[in-house]
Amino acid sequence: MNRLAVVALAASLALCTPVATQGPLDLKIQAKKGASVWLLDEFVDAKVFSMEGQEFETVLKSTLVLHLTVEDVDDKGRLVVTTRIARIHGDMSLPDAVIDFDSMAPADDDEADEDDGSGMTPARIRKVLLAGAGKSFRATIDDRGQGVELLDDAKDVLQEADLAARSGMGTTLTAASLRDLLRRAFGERPGQPVAIGATWRSASNDARELRLTRELKLAKADAATFEVAIASNAEAAKADGEEEGVAVVVNKNAPKAKDAAIRGVCRASRTDGFVLAAEETITATLEGAGPDGTGTVALSLRRSLQRTTAAAAEPKAAAPKPAVPASGGGGKR
């Protein structure tokens, strides 16, 4: 083989070399002070209940429009981030009703009269599902996206969401879920430099009845983005009576999760530091979920996160009604 051919072969092999052979990649958050992003956080919670020979389904679809701004970055790369819950909207399908909710919709006087604080009326369910809308909270997060600390103003969001916990309906806004929200906004990141193909684990308590342990794998990366695959098992949650001063209604006889699985993918930016798109699905069968411990619940949770614009915080204008054709003035001939 002549010298020119050797050089050409070497160049070809260099171009074909996978990124993984370049060694561990440092995926630290690169967001700068003043950086901001709008995100759509969509959540679908579908449950099929089987109890005492009867079966029924409930489906909750909820979308949070979030605006995140990096207020400061210290010399260790730790960020101070303000998250505003600009809008919450969606619907809940129950066996005998569908309840729409939207924090940007005008208040209904009839519903205000209906919500007397007793029973789970549609008005009270809406209040529970809209808890935290329009509020902001601040938190710090380290440059690996791991350590998150809520600052004092997060208490306003948690106190409002606490109404949901006291109602017995549960709430998606807890101290754990706010921390998880911030971590997800910057993508799933390892705590140290890793090579493509490397795996690590992370835990989260943000899935209602389940305690989650994810196995994450760095699937691919280039200079601008990286992608993480998510796959693991889920377990039934332990009964924790209180979290950071917020009362939580907990079933001490927590149901057991069977055939639980987590699947998902997360793609994040290596340039501005924020998530680009992420989706995760959790499925499980909860045994012993009835009031006497005999029922089962087939659970499917899907959560996605994607970038959007400020326009998503505004409700869509209602479609104009079709014009009614003018009737003719003459009689029959």
Side-chain angles (χ1 to χ4, degrees):
M1 183 180 294
N2 60 38
R3 176 179 169 78
L4 184 60
V6 171
V7 172
L9 178 60
S12 176
L13 290 174
L15 291 173
C16 295
T17 301
V19 178
T21 62
Q22 297 177 6
L25 302 175
D26 194 345
L27 300 177
K28 290 192 296 186
I29 297 173
Q30 300 295 328
K32 307 297 183 184
K33 180 178 179 179
S36 67
V37 68
W38 284 87
L39 297 174
L40 277 184
D41 189 355
E42 297 179 310
F43 183 76
V44 180
D45 178 352
K47 295 185 177 75
V48 178
F49 297 82
S50 299
M51 298 175 186
E52 299 180 354
Q54 296 184 342
E55 185 173 289
F56 61 93
E57 182 179 21
T58 66
V59 181
L60 170 62
K61 299 177 182 178
S62 182
T63 299
L64 277 67
V65 183
L66 306 169
H67 187 209
L68 285 82
T69 303
V70 178
E71 304 291 352
D72 199 9
V73 183
D74 67 18
D75 56 359
K76 295 182 179 179
R78 193 167 184 83
L79 295 79
V80 178
V81 182
T82 295
T83 301
R84 182 165 70 92
I85 306 173
R87 182 185 177 195
I88 300 176
H89 63 95
D91 60 74
M92 173 178 273
S93 299
L94 302 173
D96 57 353
V98 176
I99 300 173
D100 297 316
F101 55 93
D102 189 340
S103 61
M104 300 295 289
D108 190 322
D109 293 336
D110 293 337
E111 285 202 356
D113 294 337
E114 180 189 0
D115 185 14
D116 60 2
S118 61
M120 291 310 296
T121 63
R124 186 158 180 78
I125 290 173
R126 284 189 179 93
K127 181 178 288 187
V128 166
L129 295 172
L130 294 175
K135 293 185 176 295
S136 299
F137 69 93
R138 291 185 307 143
T140 61
I141 184 169
D142 64 27
D143 60 2
R144 300 283 181 186
Q146 304 293 312
V148 177
E149 180 182 350
L150 299 178
L151 301 182
D152 284 345
D153 51 7
K155 292 178 180 177
D156 291 339
V157 177
L158 296 175
Q159 285 172 354
E160 184 167 332
D162 185 38
L163 295 173
R166 294 183 188 280
S167 73
M169 184 178 163
T171 178
T172 56
L173 292 181
T174 65
S177 70
L178 293 183
R179 287 192 293 265
D180 187 67
L181 185 157
L182 194 59
R183 276 190 291 263
R184 291 171 59 246
F186 288 98
E188 298 283 0
R189 297 172 185 265
Q192 60 187 8
V194 297
I196 291 178
T199 62
W200 66 98
R201 290 181 177 270
S202 72
S204 171
N205 294 313
D206 183 28
R208 309 296 176 85
E209 293 88 349
L210 300 179
R211 180 178 73 252
L212 308 181
T213 301
R214 299 172 175 87
E215 182 172 290
L216 304 136
K217 178 180 180 180
L218 182 58
K220 51 186 170 181
D222 57 31
T225 66
F226 68 92
E227 186 172 300
V228 173
I230 308 166
S232 191
N233 294 324
E235 304 173 39
K238 293 181 179 179
D240 295 323
E242 185 171 307
E243 181 184 14
E244 295 196 4
V246 178
V248 178
V249 177
V250 177
N251 177 9
K252 293 183 179 180
N253 299 315
K256 296 181 179 179
K258 179 182 178 183
D259 299 327
I262 306 171
R263 296 291 183 271
V265 64
C266 173
R267 191 162 57 91
S269 170
R270 296 186 68 186
T271 54
D272 69 18
F274 292 103
V275 69
L276 293 167
E279 183 166 337
E280 183 175 270
T281 300
I282 304 161
T283 55
T285 298
L286 304 180
E287 297 182 332
D292 57 0
T294 59
T296 63
V297 177
L299 174 70
S300 174
L301 300 171
R302 182 177 64 81
R303 194 163 197 178
S304 64
L305 198 61
Q306 58 184 306
R307 296 202 186 193
T308 187
T309 64
E314 300 294 335
K316 292 182 179 179
K321 294 182 179 179
V324 177
S327 58
K332 291 184 179 180
R333 298 196 178 193

